[in-house]
Amino acid sequence: MNLELRQLRYFVTVAEELHFGRAALRLHMTQPPLSQTIQALEELLGAAVFERNRRGVTLTPAGSALLPEARRMLAQAQELPQLVQRAAAGEVGRLTLAFVSSADYSVLPPFLRAYRAAYPQVQITLQEATSDLQLDDLLHNRIDAGLLIPPLPDKARAELDYLPVLREPLVLAVPAGLPALNKRGKPALNALPALPLIIFPRAISPALYDAILSVFRDAGVTPEIGQQAIQMQTIVGLVSAGMGMALVPQSVSNLMRPGVEYRALAHTTPLVETGLAWRRDNASPVLRGFLELLRNEVRKTALC
């Protein structure tokens, strides 16, 4: 069906005037070509849209059904240029963003608030995932960007760009009420009771795993590896249950759980970095807008 917007516009004008002569004047044309256009529309649709008689013009039931749809289609067509321009500017569309669980307690909420305020029409799809899964999703174009813990493997660095957004120390998470923590100040690992270490599998994030163990090594302590979990909230939950202690990024202390106490350590700890990775060949205007805002937020808040 080769339906033209011009035919719909002519039809709506006649339907509003219910007079071919007045409709022709509104359209700045003569009546014969207007009548011919309406006849061609009726032939195309296979039904009469106007009842013509000596008393005037009225809409048929088919015409009455067509009128609101024709108005809707014309309105949508009128909005197309603005829609295309907004899409080109990254103001509409979809962004799929993955994040490690620790980002949910640090950079993710303020970034999302700022982005939602700047781009309210963009649909954001969020999914929590470990760094290794995010890298696989990025390499296979399943997500637009990921907040993850570096480093990026060589294969990933060949295809991805990366922006650091946060560096923070590790802090101690222990069951509340330990006698060694009754005193104020920063505890030393070698002064704590021998509690199992709750940690995630090394395959999930080797750099963070090694950084945690390096803190114990520098303190002259060999920890007993107890439970393993892949999410920070699960690790903190196990600490709350008295299953052991953990070293977590400082921002995780925003996760308040009964029975858990967070303390800065007397030892200097490595800084844990969180950053955003995305495909270098992703030309999405929505992603470009997100990156511009993220860079501005990083500079403004001195997160990095």
Side-chain angles (χ1 to χ4, degrees):
M1 180 180 291
N2 189 22
L3 183 63
E4 299 179 8
L5 291 176
R6 174 181 59 89
Q7 293 173 307
L8 295 179
R9 187 170 69 253
Y10 288 5
F11 161 73
V12 169
T13 305
V14 176
E16 291 174 347
E17 295 293 340
L18 292 179
H19 192 282
F20 276 85
R22 291 195 299 269
L25 287 175
R26 273 183 57 182
L27 294 167
H28 305 289
M29 62 187 301
T30 59
Q31 185 172 334
L34 174 60
S35 298
Q36 293 170 4
T37 300
I38 297 299
Q39 290 173 0
L41 175 64
E42 291 175 323
E43 291 176 3
L44 185 65
L45 297 175
V49 295
F50 292 112
E51 181 72 32
R52 305 163 180 83
N53 53 50
R54 293 181 179 179
R55 289 174 296 181
V57 178
T58 58
L59 282 166
T60 66
S64 296
L66 175 62
L67 182 58
E69 295 302 314
R71 285 171 169 159
R72 179 181 59 82
M73 293 174 68
L74 290 171
Q76 288 178 338
Q78 191 173 10
E79 293 171 357
L80 279 178
Q82 183 181 9
L83 175 64
V84 172
Q85 293 166 12
R86 290 171 62 199
E91 296 176 3
V92 295
R94 181 182 296 275
L95 178 73
T96 303
L97 176 66
F99 61 95
V100 292
S101 58
S102 57
D104 197 21
Y105 310 109
S106 56
V107 296
L108 184 63
F111 286 168
L112 288 180
R113 282 195 296 269
Y115 185 71
R116 175 60 67 197
Y119 298 93
Q121 298 303 313
V122 173
Q123 298 181 24
I124 305 174
T125 300
L126 296 171
Q127 56 189 62
E128 186 175 347
T130 54
S131 298
D132 57 330
L133 294 180
Q134 289 189 46
L135 290 171
D136 186 65
D137 285 342
L138 284 167
L139 293 174
H140 290 88
N141 282 307
R142 291 191 286 261
I143 59 175
D144 293 307
L147 279 166
L148 49 77
I149 296 174
L152 276 59
D154 292 340
K155 178 183 178 182
R157 285 201 300 269
E159 300 185 44
L160 306 180
D161 280 333
Y162 175 79
L163 173 69
V165 297
L166 174 67
R167 295 188 182 100
E168 57 182 335
L170 293 165
V171 298
L172 180 67
V174 293
L178 280 183
L181 293 180
N182 288 339
K183 299 177 181 179
R184 293 185 177 182
K186 298 179 179 179
L189 288 176
N190 55 13
L192 294 176
L195 296 174
L197 176 63
I198 302 170
I199 197 170
F200 44 84
R202 189 177 186 277
I204 297 299
S205 182
L208 181 54
Y209 183 97
D210 293 344
I212 290 172
L213 291 189
S214 74
V215 178
F216 285 91
R217 185 176 60 250
D218 293 345
V221 177
T222 301
E224 173 196 351
I225 304 297
Q227 299 292 324
Q228 296 192 14
I230 64 172
Q231 304 294 350
M232 286 295 175
Q233 55 265 39
T234 305
I235 291 174
V236 173
L238 291 172
V239 173
S240 174
M243 301 294 291
M245 64 179 173
L247 291 185
V248 296
Q250 185 178 51
S251 57
V252 177
S253 62
N254 293 320
L255 173 58
M256 303 306 297
R257 284 283 181 86
V260 177
E261 188 169 348
Y262 298 98
R263 286 288 190 92
L265 288 168
H267 317 280
T268 300
T269 72
L271 294 179
V272 178
E273 182 172 294
T274 302
L276 187 82
W278 66 95
R279 287 192 64 86
R280 193 171 295 124
D281 59 2
N282 189 338
S284 164
V286 171
L287 176 62
R288 185 175 63 245
F290 181 76
L291 293 174
E292 290 175 359
L293 182 139
L294 184 64
R295 290 188 178 101
N296 289 336
E297 288 297 307
V298 170
R299 285 193 292 265
K300 182 172 64 178
T301 59
L303 288 174
C304 181

